[in-house]
């Protein structure tokens, strides 16, 4: 079972920060064979949503209030450890992230930059594509909005 924790940057322990950065690097750099600068100085502004199983971070997102990343509230760096994806933790962490945007920022409109192959996943969570596809770090993405 996945336990969800919500923390500001300053509330993260050193071990939690190390583990979430490791998970992001494992998925976005190694698994997707994409060289990019993950550490972008935006983590300090973000609210971090941690999905923990057996004392290990296996799912993660970060959320931003309007204006801190996009004009609208946003969710990014959505990741689930490869060996845990069969449990549908992506839905659990996203539902928790959507609820946190509402609870922390009193916002219902959320913008994301989604990898194109995940459009149906985000459609199932109430997001709709806006605009054309574009390349972000060499990977096809599309902007999506939840109202």
């Amino acid at each position: 079972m996945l336990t969800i924790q919500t923390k500001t940057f300053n509330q993260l322990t050193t071990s939690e920060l190390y583990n979430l950065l490791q998970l992001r690097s494992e998925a976005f750099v190694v698994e997707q064979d994409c060289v990019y600068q993950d550490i972008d100085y935006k983590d300090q502004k973000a609210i971090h949503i941690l999905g923990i199983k057996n004392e290990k971070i296996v799912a993660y997102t970060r959320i931003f209030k309007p204006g801190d990343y996009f004009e609208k509230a946003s969710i990014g760096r959505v990741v689930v450890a490869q060996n845990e994806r069969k449990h549908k933790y992506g839905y659990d962490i996203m539902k928790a992230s959507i609820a946190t945007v509402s609870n922390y920022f009193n916002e219902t409109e959320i913008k994301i930059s989604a990898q194109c192959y995940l459009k149906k996943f985000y459609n199932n969570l109430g997001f709709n594509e806006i605009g054309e596809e574009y390349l972000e770090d060499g990977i096809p993405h599309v902007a999506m909005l939840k109202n």
Side-chain angles (χ1 to χ4, degrees):
M1 183 171 168
L2 196 66
T3 302
I4 305 288
Q5 293 183 5
T6 302
K7 297 189 174 194
T8 66
F9 183 78
N10 289 332
Q11 291 172 327
L12 292 169
T13 67
T14 306
S15 292
E16 288 169 334
L17 180 60
Y18 186 89
N19 290 326
L20 72 86
L21 291 172
Q22 187 279 331
L23 177 61
R24 285 172 17 184
S25 178
E26 179 181 288
F28 300 131
V29 177
V30 177
E31 183 183 333
Q32 295 183 350
D33 194 23
C34 180
V35 177
Y36 84 109
Q37 185 63 45
D38 178 47
I39 300 173
D40 58 3
Y41 291 99
K42 292 184 177 130
D43 288 314
Q44 293 88 332
K45 291 182 175 183
I47 303 293
H48 302 270
I49 314 300
L50 312 174
I52 300 168
K53 179 180 177 184
N54 299 326
E55 299 180 28
K56 183 176 180 188
I57 297 171
V58 298
Y60 170 84
T61 70
R62 65 182 187 179
I63 66 170
F64 295 94
K65 69 182 181 196
D68 275 354
Y69 196 90
F70 293 124
E71 186 177 311
K72 300 187 183 308
S74 62
I75 301 171
R77 297 294 201 271
V78 179
V79 62
V80 175
Q82 190 172 29
N83 62 335
E84 298 290 345
R85 292 179 191 153
K86 62 186 173 270
H87 302 297
K88 309 279 187 202
Y89 291 150
Y91 286 102
D92 296 335
I93 199 77
M94 278 299 295
K95 287 176 184 176
S97 299
I98 292 164
T100 303
V101 167
S102 177
N103 294 338
Y104 271 65
F105 309 135
N106 197 29
E107 295 285 336
T108 55
E109 278 195 321
I110 303 170
K111 183 177 180 182
I112 61 172
S113 177
Q115 292 186 10
C116 288
Y117 83 96
L118 291 168
K119 283 191 283 193
K120 283 188 180 183
F121 168 75
Y122 291 114
N123 288 152
N124 289 336
L125 288 160
F127 289 86
N128 295 300
E129 299 95 86
I130 53 172
E132 300 295 316
E133 292 183 10
Y134 54 91
L135 286 180
E136 186 174 310
D137 301 313
I139 296 173
H141 280 70
V142 65
M144 301 185 81
L145 188 65
K146 178 177 177 58
N147 291 337

